[in-house]
């Protein structure tokens, strides 16, 4: 009964693969003449019939095998004295009548010390006689009659030599007849209970067993029944040989094949692996009690519980040995070999003539081949894929199953990863140091072994294969990736998208990057990329076959080829399909998160990373550091960093960290361009333009500014500028690489063409438009203009240490501290101001502060006349106070030097050299004249000697400076102390109504500094020339001017003369305030005339001509001349008469 119940569990067997004939061992055993059982009992009766034919046949064969010439039939093992005690102790009584049941009970239930040696030897001889008896074959012929007919190879075997049974064992996977299957299965359990009974095994492995001390093979000796320990010893030696370089006793190739064949034949039922069966008997009951034997199910169950705490070490070791054999030959796994048999043939995975057969049998080869078929969209059965998944997980969980890892990574494991054996932690430890952390490194051979293992396991297709990753990232997947189907390849992409976010946990981050490092080095390990791009790779990168890589086309080269084609324009040639381009961009976005995920970058830049960026270990800092030191990098690293930066300029979304930081401002201000699939630099341009919006956070601002700074290193890093101006640069600015130099070159060309009124601009229109954008961006941050930034670094740290660079704040600070700047910095700031005044759009602060006022007042004004327009509307009630203050700053700057006022410079281009040449002779090109030229022109204005255009501009300056003393550089320079002493209250009010100037005029007698007094006297002199220059007087006399002088044209002192005449005319009644102010002015002018008399005739003439009493003075001069003339005539006549009288005498 027990034999029958056991036989029902052994229904399905191994796939048929060639093995040496049983007949060889049969012949060997027969020839060797094994000793008969000690004191063999007389067989008293025939075994009772069994309930079924196969079992009955087996029993008959057992009786035949045990029979001797001097014994009767019906011999029972249970009646033998040598085994009676053990039988009574170990086997149920109902099994005693069946020899096979007794044999199975004793060999399955005992340990080596549990059965007496005599019984042990009796059992072995019984089995040996059983397998060598011709009746064994005759029973098989009877039970398997129809099966033998169906199997052609077995039907043709010679009878009587044991070949038939050997053939049936080899083809037992094809036996469909139930009775025959049961019979062959039962006989197999007998054979596998001892290595010496397995066909030909002893012949092939005799020397190896002796060399390795795996046990005795001398049959004639008193031999303890080994129960598979010899085979277990050989299996361990075979595994050890694969894991170690030097072997004192290498196993012969034919013995290696025999060992693997034995493992293959025992793959369906774990009872057949005697060592594993005895090692795992208790664990089977603990973990797999309800798992039926057969089809390798118990093996798989035990494999799944291998790392459980309750698993015994003895069983775990036996399971590991079994798994290592599977990794060497996939056929050792019954379930995998059976499930994938058809698929292997269909996908032609065993037909590569260039590979040795041993490699084709390797588990890794099978997995790689079938994985490639799945990725290419070919049909692989679900059963086979399920088995592949189990064994891929097995490889990831236990590194020791990969002999290459054990062999080549032993040093790294012992040094860094000891004690982390379970759940894939050792493998992840190796992957961590394999990433190339500076503190630890791995050998190239170990690195290659790790890459091969990852390729075989293919965790990119299903993250659950990687148990360490799965456990570490479970919480992240449940929250951030819950919308994705469990096991979907997109889970890894989802995790990468949430890398360095609040949802990511540290342990998951480490495990993810460790895995992604190796996935990024072979494009086939990303199944989505592989699926979408395999056609493009074949079309553009010339990949062929399921294993698309070779020495000429390494895995990394395929992706490099793909991304080179991803950003090509139609004019540049063949491009990627849309689906493939999306996946390539996804990979590029992931690689931007971590330098080590870009194989080419890490390979070429490892030295530079250590040299320049050893302290830059935070997220994204390494690439930024390399970009910052672009000029210092070795050529190979500089090239790859330059190419990546150029790529980012076209598609800034590749920089995932920056895009993540800038999401709020992108959604608020750049949603139109952010949603475009083709970026072409629009998003970065939008971010730059909105860098100072309220949605902009510090991380985004820093990232955008960094990218702007990097763009300065090479004009190719600005995609839109490169595309717009590439031809112009090659034609007009060859051999210039730095963007700032290219911008200066092109701007100078545009400027010269404009000044010379060239018929055709040499710089194309599209380039001129983009050039304007670049110039405006550069004006926002001093660091974007190296020619300005470098000379001013020391001044920045000294004068503006706490000022931000952005928003042109640093530039504004330097402008305000201009007098304290070093000479070089001062010169650069002056040049910058000169450019900004001629083109106010480049004045970032002015355009930012007055943005709304420009829209209100200057929508129709030309861009170069914006400041002029704002100045004209400065005193409007609708003018924003901040903008008004900014306009005043720019006016103060303009009045320091005529060169900073383009309108004045143009209007007075003839007057300046005519009247102010001495000042120009002393001036330098890069420093202000402190208002000296304008002061010179003011004096000539008072003398009414300027040309009309120049006079109009000086009048405007006089009017403006009369309202705000700060607009008169000379006055502010010389009278600062006097203003603080005499007019502090008026200066503090900052009403810009001329009150400070009026205070100085009123306190003229109290002014102590001669230079200041002279400036005030000049103001008085200028006010005589035009009442508009005296805002206090003009305000007081506004009604009187309207009533009495409306017909008088303003300018040249005409309206002032009108008021003076009205003051002297008693018939005219002026407003009291106007009358008082006029009288004060007359007193001031009189004092001025006394204090500062005419220094020459020309000065006197000017004073007379500009005097309000000009007509009176001229009349008096004319009368004086007439009187002198008459006196002269009279004196002449008297002299003539006297002379005549004297002559007459």
């Amino acid at each position: 009964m027990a034999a029958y119940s056991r036989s029902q569990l052994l229904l399905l067997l191994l796939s048929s693969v060639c093995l040496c004939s049983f007949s060889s061992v049969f012949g060997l055993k027969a020839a060797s003449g094994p000793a008969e059982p000690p004191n063999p009992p007389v067989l008293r009766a025939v075994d009772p019939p069994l309930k079924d034919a196969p079992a009955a046949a087996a029993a008959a064969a057992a009786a035949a095998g045990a029979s001797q010439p001097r014994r009767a039939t019906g011999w029972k093992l249970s009646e033998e004295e040598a085994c009676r005690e053990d039988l009574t102790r170990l086997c149920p009584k109902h099994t005693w009548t069946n020899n096979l049941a007794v044999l199975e009970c004793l060999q399955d239930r005992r340990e080596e010390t549990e059965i007496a040696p005599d019984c042990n030897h009796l059992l072995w001889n019984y089995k040996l006689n059983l397998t060598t008896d011709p009746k064994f074959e005759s029973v098989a012929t009877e039970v398997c009659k129809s099966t033998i007919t169906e199997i052609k190879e077995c039907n043709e075997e010679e009878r009587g030599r044991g070949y038939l049974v050997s053939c049936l064992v080899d083809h037992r996977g094809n036996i469909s007849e139930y009775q025959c299957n049961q019979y062959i299965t039962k006989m197999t359990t007998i054979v596998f209970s001892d290595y010496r009974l397995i066909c030909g095994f002893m012949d092939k492995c005799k020397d190896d067993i002796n060399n390795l001390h795996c046990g005795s093979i001398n049959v004639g000796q008193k031999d303890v029944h080994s129960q598979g320990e010899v085979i277990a010893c050989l299996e361990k030696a075979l595994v050890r040989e694969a894991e170690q370089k030097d072997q004192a006793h290498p196993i012969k190739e034919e013995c290696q094949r025999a060992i693997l064949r034995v493992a293959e034949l025992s793959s369906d039922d774990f009872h057949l692996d005697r060592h594993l069966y005895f090692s795992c008997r208790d664990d089977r009951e603990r973990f797999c009690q309800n798992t039926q034997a057969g089809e390798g199910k118990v093996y798989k169950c035990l494999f799944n519980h291998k790392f459980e705490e309750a698993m015994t070490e003895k069983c775990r070791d036996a399971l590991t040995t079994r798994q290592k054999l599977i990794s060497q030959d996939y056929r050792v796994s019954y379930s995998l070999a059976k499930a994938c048999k058809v698929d292997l043939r269909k996908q032609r995975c065993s037909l590569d003539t260039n590979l040795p057969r041993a490699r084709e049998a390797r588990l890794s080869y099978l997995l790689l081949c079938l994985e490639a078929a799945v990725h290419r969209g070919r049909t692989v059965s679900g059963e086979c894929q399920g088995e592949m998944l189990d064994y891929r997980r097995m490889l990831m969980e236990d590194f020791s199953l990969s002999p290459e890892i054990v062999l080549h990574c032993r040093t790294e494991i012992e040094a860094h990863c000891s004690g982390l054996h379970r759940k894939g932690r050792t493998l992840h430890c190796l992957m961590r140091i394999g990433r190339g952390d500076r503190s630890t490194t791995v050998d190239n051979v170990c690195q290659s072994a790790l890459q091969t293992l990852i390729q075989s396991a293919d965790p990119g297709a299903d993250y659950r294969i990687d148990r360490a990753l799965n456990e570490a990232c479970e919480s992240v997947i449940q929250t951030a990736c819950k919308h994705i189907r469990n096991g979907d390849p997109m889970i890894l992409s989802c995790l990468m998208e949430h890398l360095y976010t609040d949802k990511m946990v540290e342990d998951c981050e480490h495990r993810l990057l460790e895995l992604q490092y190796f996935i990024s080095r072979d494009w086939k390990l990303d199944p989505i990329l592989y699926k979408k791009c395999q056609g493009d790779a074949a079309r553009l990168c010339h990949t062929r076959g399921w294993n698309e890589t070779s020495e000429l086309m390494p895995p990394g080269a395929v992706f490099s080829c793909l991304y080179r084609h991803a950003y090509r324009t139609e004019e540049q040639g063949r491009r990627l399909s849309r689906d493939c381009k999306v996946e390539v961009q996804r990979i590029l976005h992931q690689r931007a998160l971590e330098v080590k995920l870009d194989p080419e970058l890490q390979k070429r830049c490892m030295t530079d990373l250590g040299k320049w960026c050893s302290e830059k270990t935070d997220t994204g800092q390494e690439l930024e550091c390399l970009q910052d030191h672009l000029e210092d990098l070795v050529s190979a690293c500089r090239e790859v960093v330059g190419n990546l930066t150029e790529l980012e300029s076209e598609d800034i979304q590749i920089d995932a960290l920056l895009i993540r930081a800038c999401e709020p401002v992108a959604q608020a201000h750049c949603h139109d361009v952010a949603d475009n699939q083709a970026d072409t630099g629009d998003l970065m341009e939008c971010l730059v333009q909105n860098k100072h919006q309220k949605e902009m956070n510090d991380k985004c601002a820093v990232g955008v500014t960094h990218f702007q700074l990097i763009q300065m290193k090479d004009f190719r890093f600005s995609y839109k500028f490169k595309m717009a101006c590439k031809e112009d640069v090659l034609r007009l600015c060859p051999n210039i690489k730095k963007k700032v130099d290219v911008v200066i070159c092109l701007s100078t060309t545009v400027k010269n063409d404009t000044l010379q009124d060239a018929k055709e601009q040499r710089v194309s229109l599209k380039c001129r438009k983009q050039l304007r954008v670049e110039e405006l961006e550069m004006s926002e941050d001093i660091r974007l203009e190296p020619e300005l930034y470098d000379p001013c670094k020391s001044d920045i740290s000294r004068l503006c240490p706490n000022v931000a660079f952005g928003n042109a704040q640093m530039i504004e600070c330097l402008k305000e501290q201009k007098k304290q700047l070093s000479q070089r910095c001062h010169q650069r700031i002056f040049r910058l101001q000169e450019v900004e005044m001629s083109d106010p759009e480049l004045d970032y602060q002015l355009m930012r502060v007055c943005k709304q006022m420009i829209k209100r007042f200057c929508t129709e004004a030309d861009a170069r006349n914006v400041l002029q327009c704002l100045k004209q509307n400065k005193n409007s009630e609708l003018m924003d106070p901040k903008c008004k203050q900014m306009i005043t700053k720019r006016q103060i700057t303009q009045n320091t030097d005529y060169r900073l006022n383009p309108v004045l410079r143009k209007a007075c281009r003839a007057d300046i050299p005519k009247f102010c040449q001495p000042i120009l002779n002393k001036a330098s090109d890069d420093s202000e004249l402190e208002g000296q030229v304008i002061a010179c022109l003011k004096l000539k204005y008072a003398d009414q000697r300027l040309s009309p255009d120049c006079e109009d501009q000086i009048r405007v300056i006089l009017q403006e400076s009369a309202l705000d003393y700060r607009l008169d550089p000379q006055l502010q320079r010389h009278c600062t102390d006097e203003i603080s002493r005499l007019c502090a209250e008026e200066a503090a009010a900052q009403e810009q109504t001329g009150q400070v100037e009026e205070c100085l005029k009123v306190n003229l007698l109290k002014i102590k500094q001669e230079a200041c007094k002279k400036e005030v006297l000049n103001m008085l002199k200028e006010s005589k020339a035009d009442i508009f220059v005296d805002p206090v007087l003009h305000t007081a006399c506004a009604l009187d001017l309207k009533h009495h002088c409306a017909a008088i044209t303003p300018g040249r002192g005409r309206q002032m003369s009108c008021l003076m005449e009205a003051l002297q005319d008693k018939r005219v009644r002026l407003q009291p305030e106007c009358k008082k102010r006029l009288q004060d002015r007359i007193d001031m002018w009189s004092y001025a005339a006394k204090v500062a008399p005419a220094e020459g005739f020309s000065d006197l003439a000017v004073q007379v001509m500009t005097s309000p009493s000009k007509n009176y003075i001229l009349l008096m001069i004319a009368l004086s001349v007439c009187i002198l003339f008459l006196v002269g005539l009279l004196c002449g006549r008297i002299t003539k008469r006297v002379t005549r009288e004297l002559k007459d005498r």
Side-chain angles (χ1 to χ4, degrees), residues 868-1138:
Q868 195 70 17
C869 169
L870 290 172
K871 284 160 61 175
Q872 293 169 359
N873 293 277
K874 172 183 171 182
N875 296 315
S876 169
E877 293 180 356
L878 299 176
M879 177 59 69
D880 176 64
K882 291 184 178 178
C883 180
K884 185 175 182 179
Q885 185 179 3
M886 182 58 65
I887 296 170
T888 300
K889 284 185 177 182
R890 296 301 177 257
Q891 287 179 298
I892 294 172
T893 300
Q894 280 191 327
N895 290 346
T896 59
D897 197 303
Y898 77 98
R899 290 169 292 185
L900 301 180
N901 190 334
V903 178
L904 174 67
R905 187 174 185 177
K906 182 178 180 181
C908 300
R909 59 180 178 271
D911 301 86
I912 291 172
K914 181 179 179 181
F915 299 113
C916 310
Q917 190 61 46
I919 299 173
L920 297 179
N921 293 338
K922 298 177 183 178
S924 63
D925 293 335
D926 301 319
S927 60
E928 292 89 345
L929 298 173
E930 298 295 341
Q932 296 178 59
V933 171
I934 295 177
C936 168
L937 293 174
K938 286 179 181 180
L939 292 175
K940 301 306 174 187
Y941 172 83
D943 296 343
Q944 300 178 2
R945 299 172 64 181
L946 299 178
S947 62
D949 289 342
C950 185
E951 187 175 283
D952 291 341
Q953 291 303 316
I954 291 298
R955 181 186 305 113
V956 172
I957 292 174
L958 286 169
Q959 291 172 358
E960 291 170 347
S961 59
L963 292 170
D964 189 345
Y965 76 96
R966 295 172 298 172
L967 300 184
D968 187 337
Q970 290 292 311
L971 180 66
Q972 188 177 19
R973 178 184 178 187
H974 297 301
C975 296
T976 301
D977 295 338
E978 300 293 350
I979 291 172
S980 301
R981 185 170 61 87
L982 301 172
C983 311
E985 186 176 343
E986 290 82 353
Q990 294 186 348
E991 294 181 357
Q992 299 181 11
T993 55
Q995 294 302 316
V996 174
E997 290 86 340
E998 185 68 16
C999 171
L1000 289 172
K1001 292 173 184 176
V1002 171
N1003 293 284
L1004 180 60
L1005 297 175
K1006 298 179 182 179
I1007 295 176
K1008 298 177 181 179
Q1009 297 181 8
E1010 291 298 322
C1012 177
K1013 185 179 290 187
K1014 183 177 181 181
E1015 290 300 323
V1016 176
L1017 292 172
N1018 286 338
M1019 277 198 302
L1020 290 169
K1021 183 178 179 181
E1022 292 156 5
S1023 66
K1024 291 169 64 177
D1026 197 331
I1027 192 172
F1028 288 100
V1029 177
D1030 192 338
V1032 175
L1033 180 62
H1034 182 265
T1035 303
C1037 298
L1039 289 175
D1040 297 295
L1041 283 171
K1042 187 175 182 180
H1043 291 154
H1044 307 296
C1045 307
I1048 305 299
T1049 306
R1052 296 186 177 269
R1054 287 186 285 265
Q1055 288 191 331
M1056 183 67 78
S1057 298
C1058 173
L1059 286 175
M1060 294 299 291
E1061 291 175 358
L1063 178 64
Q1064 294 173 1
D1065 191 342
K1066 295 181 180 180
R1067 296 171 298 175
V1068 177
R1069 295 188 61 181
L1070 299 176
Q1071 294 292 323
E1073 183 65 21
C1074 177
K1075 188 174 183 179
K1076 178 180 180 299
R1077 293 290 181 185
L1078 276 173
Q1079 193 61 53
D1080 290 341
R1081 293 297 183 270
I1082 292 172
D1083 295 340
M1084 291 178 187
W1085 292 331
S1086 300
Y1087 176 76
K1090 294 177 182 177
V1091 174
E1095 297 178 358
F1097 181 78
S1098 60
D1099 198 14
L1100 177 62
V1102 169
Q1103 286 190 12
V1104 170
M1105 294 304 294
T1106 57
S1107 171
S1109 304
K1110 177 180 67 175
N1111 295 333
Y1112 175 75
I1113 295 172
L1114 291 176
L1115 178 62
M1116 291 297 101
I1117 291 173
L1119 287 174
S1120 300
V1121 170
C1122 290
I1123 291 172
L1124 287 172
F1125 181 71
L1126 291 174
V1127 170
L1129 287 176
L1130 181 60
C1131 291
R1133 288 182 178 277
I1134 294 172
T1135 305
K1136 193 175 182 180
R1137 184 180 301 121
V1138 171

Side-chain angles (χ1 to χ4, degrees), residues 255-290:
C255 183
Q256 290 184 22
R257 287 196 296 266
I259 294 169
L260 290 173
R261 180 57 174 153
V262 168
E264 178 185 347
L265 289 172
S266 62
S267 62
D268 63 334
D269 190 345
F270 92 115
H271 292 88
L272 303 182
D273 187 333
R274 307 307 293 173
H275 173 73
L276 187 144
Y277 169 73
F278 286 118
S279 299
C280 298
R281 212 161 29 169
D282 295 337
D283 298 283
R284 189 267 171 95
E285 295 299 321
R286 187 180 301 113
F287 298 112
C288 309
Q289 185 176 9
N290 299 322

